[in-house]
Amino acid sequence: MERKYEVTQPAGGVPIKMWTRGVPVEDEAMQQLANAARLPVVFRHIAAMPDVHLGIGATVGSVIPTLKAIIPAAVGVDIGCGMIACKTTLHANDLPGNLAPLRSAIERAVPHGGGPRSRGRDPGAWDEPPDRVDQAWGGLAQEFEALCELHPRLRQTNNRKHLGTLGSGNHFIEVCLDEEGFVWFMLHSGSRGVGNAIGTHFIALAKKDAEQHQRNLPDRDLAYFEEGARYFGDYVRAVGWAQRFAARNREVMMANLIAAVRKAVRKPFDTHVEAVNCHHNYVQQERHFGEDVFVTRKGAVSARRGEMGIIPGSMGARSYIVRGLGNPESFDSCSHGAGRVMSRTQAKKRFTVADQVRATAGVECRKDAAVIDEIPMAYKDIDAVMRAQADLVEVVHTLKQVVCVKG
DNA sequence: ATGTCC
């Protein structure tokens, strides 16, 4: 296949390989990529996915490999954020004509949302976690206690009561139909408050460490721990734990969601084993070009040859179940979505509730003023995004949502 | 995205 990426090389930095043919890239995002490319710990090159856009410290939609070092702010605070999807034996015509009760059943089964507590109750957490949650927490508790002994402030987080809960912002649950009319469940969530606390804590420590070493950084948010530094090992452990919490969180929600749909839909059904559970905001050790490196995917998905992944479109747009092509130049990665073309504030200014009603026709979901920032027109064209990464992934299934629950 | 001693 022809080469699909373009290369730019900032002065004093490694090359940036960009899979962005035919999609817009902001100047600020280019500047941010150049900052990361100038770090002395970056390995070989940086890969920018077609959904690349401005983030904090590092651009969302980028893959940053580092040698004997790790950048906590590049991973960010939503550690382990990602997607899970599961195909079922249900068909479109097995679903009820009115999907509103199905949406309510899902909303009752999975705590979601947040913001101001109503009557002292947090709708985004369990009052008392059900057995399935406590079993899952059992597999995480011991390592978490060990982390708390090293970093006692982590003990103050809401952890056990947040396992199996969705969160807010762009976290969502969907019931979708694939190209053959089969029903899928899909959801987007991360490591909730505890992952946020881990991220925040170590980002602050990395900044302090950079000040003590008087490192000359292109951006303070690109502070890194070098292997052997005081908190390097603690961060590797903590970020790994938060990623496991996030993956477990998605599994628990999927199980509770399936149980809720079984009660709401009369026809019995099975779920396929081919469930996909992938992070798109994480760091892990991998081998590339003959070296052991830390690969940070900030808004990017692992796409090794044959590996399954999920690329969700926005509310009202299609989503894709993909299979990786294992392109080494992308460090075996692909995009994590469509990517925004305007900020949430801009979207709320530009579009109306009527626009949102039109854009989400046929989807059982909220359509009020509070969700206008998720309108499909605030995102890049997902078809252009998929074309730009045709050498990174192939499409296996195309999903269109019929129910969407927003966090 | 999160949880509120900003």
Side-chain angles (χ1 to χ4, degrees), chain A residues 27-103:
Chain A
D27 293 341
E28 300 95 316
M30 279 313 304
Q31 185 54 52
Q32 203 168 46
L33 288 166
N35 285 343
R38 289 190 179 106
L39 290 180
V41 295
V42 169
F43 171 71
R44 201 180 151 103
H45 66 266
I46 282 173
M49 301 295 105
D51 57 344
V52 68
H53 61 276
L54 195 69
I56 297 170
T59 39
V60 179
S62 65
V63 184
I64 304 175
T66 47
L67 206 52
K68 300 185 192 304
I70 207 161
I71 312 163
V75 182
V77 294
D78 197 2
I79 298 169
C81 185
M83 302 288 308
I84 187 169
C86 178
K87 188 181 177 179
T88 75
T89 55
L90 277 180
H91 203 261
N93 48 30
D94 299 322
L95 293 176
N98 178 13
L99 291 167
L102 184 59
R103 170 154 77 105

Side-chain angles (χ1 to χ4, degrees), chain A residues 280-349:
Chain A
H280 54 220
N281 218 41
Y282 70 113
V283 62
Q284 70 180 7
Q285 219 166 357
E286 295 180 7
R287 197 156 178 87
H288 292 276
F289 301 101
E291 292 277 358
D292 286 318
V293 295
F294 287 97
V295 176
T296 298
R297 294 195 179 85
K298 188 186 184 74
V301 176
S302 179
R304 294 195 308 266
R305 177 160 288 277
E307 188 177 20
M308 302 298 287
I310 307 168
I311 302 180
S314 56
M315 217 172 165
R318 289 182 299 280
S319 295
Y320 297 91
I321 304 294
V322 296
R323 187 184 291 123
L325 296 175
N327 187 325
E329 295 300 329
S330 71
F331 301 98
D332 294 345
S333 309
C334 66
S335 93
H336 83 312
R340 298 194 77 89
V341 286
M342 67 183 79
S343 71
R344 293 179 183 278
T345 322
Q346 278 177 303
K348 287 193 172 181
K349 212 176 283 179

Side-chain angles (χ1 to χ4, degrees), chain A residues 13-316:
Chain A
V14 298
I16 303 165
K17 301 192 176 180
M18 313 214 14
W19 276 260
T20 54
R21 205 165 283 175
V23 290
V25 181
E26 317 146 297
D27 293 341
E28 300 95 316
M30 279 313 304
Q31 185 54 52
Q32 203 168 46
L33 288 166
N35 285 343
R38 289 190 179 106
L39 290 180
V41 295
V42 169
F43 171 71
R44 201 180 151 103
H45 66 266
I46 282 173
M49 301 295 105
D51 57 344
V52 68
H53 61 276
L54 195 69
I56 297 170
T59 39
V60 179
S62 65
V63 184
I64 304 175
T66 47
L67 206 52
K68 300 185 192 304
I70 207 161
I71 312 163
V75 182
V77 294
D78 197 2
I79 298 169
C81 185
M83 302 288 308
I84 187 169
C86 178
K87 188 181 177 179
T88 75
T89 55
L90 277 180
H91 203 261
N93 48 30
D94 299 322
L95 293 176
N98 178 13
L99 291 167
L102 184 59
R103 170 154 77 105
S104 304
I106 295 169
E107 285 170 343
R108 282 193 302 274
V110 181
H112 60 281
R117 313 263 190 281
S118 55
R119 297 180 297 279
R121 212 188 140 269
D122 180 358
W126 299 105
D127 290 331
E128 199 43 55
D131 289 348
R132 179 179 282 130
V133 170
D134 270 336
Q135 273 166 26
W137 176 249
L140 293 160
Q142 203 180 347
E143 171 70 1
F144 185 67
E145 183 49 37
L147 290 170
C148 288
E149 273 165 33
L150 297 166
H151 299 272
R153 76 162 55 178
L154 300 178
R155 208 170 259 130
Q156 293 158 26
T157 57
N158 202 348
N159 38 63
R160 169 177 157 259
K161 286 188 174 183
H162 268 171
L163 187 56
T165 72
L166 187 65
S168 56
N170 63 1
H171 290 165
F172 64 83
I173 301 171
E174 284 181 349
V175 179
C176 303
L177 303 178
D178 72 11
E179 63 289 340
E180 294 179 311
F182 283 105
V183 174
W184 287 64
F185 305 129
M186 180 170 89
L187 68 90
H188 175 217
S189 185
S191 54
R192 310 288 284 105
V194 65
N196 190 301
I198 288 170
T200 309
H201 179 62
F202 284 97
I203 288 167
L205 289 174
K207 284 182 180 172
K208 253 184 233 168
D209 191 62
E211 278 162 28
Q212 276 166 9
H213 287 87
Q214 300 185 333
R215 285 208 184 95
N216 189 18
L217 295 167
D219 180 340
R220 287 190 67 236
D221 283 324
L222 288 173
Y224 51 84
F225 293 126
E226 284 186 294
E227 222 168 76
R230 186 161 170 213
Y231 297 117
F232 177 88
D234 290 5
Y235 180 67
V236 171
R237 261 178 93 172
V239 80
W241 182 88
Q243 287 163 193
R244 289 194 294 281
F245 180 98
R248 261 307 119 71
N249 185 34
R250 290 190 289 271
E251 285 169 5
V252 168
M253 280 186 277
M254 182 58 82
N256 285 334
L257 160 62
I258 290 167
V261 177
R262 282 197 207 287
K263 283 185 196 161
V265 175
R266 211 164 277 157
K267 183 170 168 170
F269 64 90
D270 286 325
T271 53
H272 285 249
V273 196
E274 55 174 287
V276 189
N277 188 359
C278 58
H279 299 311
H280 54 220
N281 218 41
Y282 70 113
V283 62
Q284 70 180 7
Q285 219 166 357
E286 295 180 7
R287 197 156 178 87
H288 292 276
F289 301 101
E291 292 277 358
D292 286 318
V293 295
F294 287 97
V295 176
T296 298
R297 294 195 179 85
K298 188 186 184 74
V301 176
S302 179
R304 294 195 308 266
R305 177 160 288 277
E307 188 177 20
M308 302 298 287
I310 307 168
I311 302 180
S314 56
M315 217 172 165

